Amino acid sequence: MRPTRVQELAFLRSVTYAALFDYPLTLAQLHASLVEVRAEAPVVASWWRDSEFLQATVGHRDDLYFPAGRAELLTTRTRREALSRDLLEREHRVLSLVARMPFVRMVALSGSLAHLNAERSADLDLFVITGPGRVWSVTLSVLVISRLLGWRKRMCLNYVISERAIAIEPADLFSANQIIHLRPIVGHDVFERFVHANPFVKALYPNFEAGKELPHFPNPQASGLKPLFERALSVGTGRVLENMARAIYTWHLKRRAATWQSLDQVRLEAECLKLHTSSHRAATLEAFEAAVKQAIALGDRRSQHATASVPALRG
């Protein structure tokens, strides 16, 4: 059965958004990232088979979906996935360090490595959730230790929140897409609570389920001594250390504020440290809308031409 226009556009929008990052989608990925439309995966696959519009705008080969005319993305995906797995294997000790830190409740990969879509120069982007009142001391401790070990240049710890501040803003497509592509390596239960605390994610991506099995990623084990360290650090001086860490790191960050290109994406709050100082949010959403409009115009022209040609062929 031919899909509705709403279903066609949801399919197209999902493929187009991923293609902004040169990334073709499997059916499972397309299903999970289908924008604002709920459907089962086999039904989504049938839409492409039954729609002239989708076949005019979306290519399908080797079980991957990509914008029409961009089959080179299949090779790009294969190359980047192999490279990403090599990079993650190399960074296992860094991930173990962060996972073992006291008061860390969740560590998730973000950015290109979370998609297994990284080039060799990619940073290790991490999204971290801490216990209440521990954002700044955890962040500063991780950064100091990683610098001492020579890992600082490879790791990007630019979004750390506490369990008291797990509601994310702005609640838009860009944020929702980042959330569904986080790949938790520790704290899967916290990740599920995080998604539940941001209902706009399910509104935009109704097929996404945080509890579904994710692709294999490194799974560092937390230290058995972690609870002991947390109890020791919770006696008396915990709040003092947190306040000191916040004062020191805030002072350090503000010395660089003149170089920040997206001040609206920086938050230096007690329970939230967000350092998206060169955010691609506005540019990505603008490019997405332009690409969707261009694809719709192309698909409508081609499908109308195909429909108009049918009587002539039969005649």
Side-chain angles (χ1 to χ4, degrees), residues 120-251:
R120 190 170 298 278
S121 60
D123 293 326
L124 183 65
D125 293 316
L126 299 179
F127 181 89
V128 175
I129 298 178
T130 74
R134 302 291 179 172
V135 164
W136 292 84
S137 51
V138 166
T139 302
L140 189 58
S141 298
V142 170
L143 294 179
V144 169
I145 295 172
S146 63
R147 181 177 291 277
L148 292 174
L149 295 174
W151 298 339
R152 179 66 185 93
K153 291 184 178 180
R154 308 204 306 263
M155 184 177 62
C156 188
L157 195 64
N158 60 10
Y159 211 151
V160 184
I161 61 176
S162 89
E163 291 175 299
R164 287 182 184 150
I166 56 176
I168 295 296
E169 294 181 350
D172 61 8
L173 182 69
F174 187 89
S175 295
N177 193 271
Q178 287 191 317
I179 290 173
I180 70 169
H181 288 108
L182 289 174
R183 294 295 178 256
I185 58 174
V186 292
H188 291 73
D189 58 330
V190 178
F191 178 63
E192 291 188 36
R193 286 195 281 116
F194 170 62
V195 173
H196 182 73
N198 291 279
F200 73 95
V201 175
K202 288 289 287 184
L204 286 164
Y205 294 112
N207 300 314
F208 173 72
E209 295 181 27
K212 275 196 172 182
E213 184 177 354
L214 297 171
H216 175 70
F217 284 91
N219 185 27
Q221 299 300 312
S223 169
L225 297 176
K226 187 171 178 176
L228 295 177
F229 283 123
E230 291 187 359
R231 282 197 291 271
L233 292 169
S234 297
V235 178
T237 60
R239 175 52 56 188
V240 174
L241 292 174
E242 176 71 8
N243 290 339
M244 287 178 59
R246 185 180 181 188
I248 291 169
Y249 197 36
T250 297
W251 172 79

Side-chain angles (χ1 to χ4, degrees), residues 7 70 80 85 89 247:
Q7 292 166 339
R70 298 197 62 191
R80 288 181 176 176
R85 293 195 182 280
E89 184 66 27

Side-chain angles (χ1 to χ4, degrees), residues 20-96:
L20 295 177
F21 306 95
D22 299 330
Y23 194 69
L25 297 173
T26 65
L27 176 58
Q29 291 170 330
L30 173 59
H31 173 250
S33 63
L34 195 68
V35 182
E36 296 182 327
V37 172
R38 184 181 298 277
E40 296 298 322
V43 175
V44 175
S46 74
W47 294 348
W48 187 86
R49 294 193 301 267
D50 297 336
S51 169
E52 293 175 347
F53 173 81
L54 287 178
Q55 292 191 25
T57 54
V58 176
H60 181 219
R61 200 174 83 193
D62 298 339
D63 296 324
L64 292 169
Y65 296 91
F66 50 90
R70 298 197 62 191
E72 78 280 356
L73 296 186
L74 278 65
T75 303
T76 299
R77 173 171 171 146
T78 300
R79 177 179 60 80
R80 288 181 176 176
E81 182 168 333
L83 180 58
S84 298
R85 293 195 182 280
D86 287 343
L87 289 171
L88 287 173
E89 184 66 27
R90 186 191 72 182
E91 305 296 4
H92 184 79
R93 289 185 297 170
V94 182
L95 295 172
S96 294

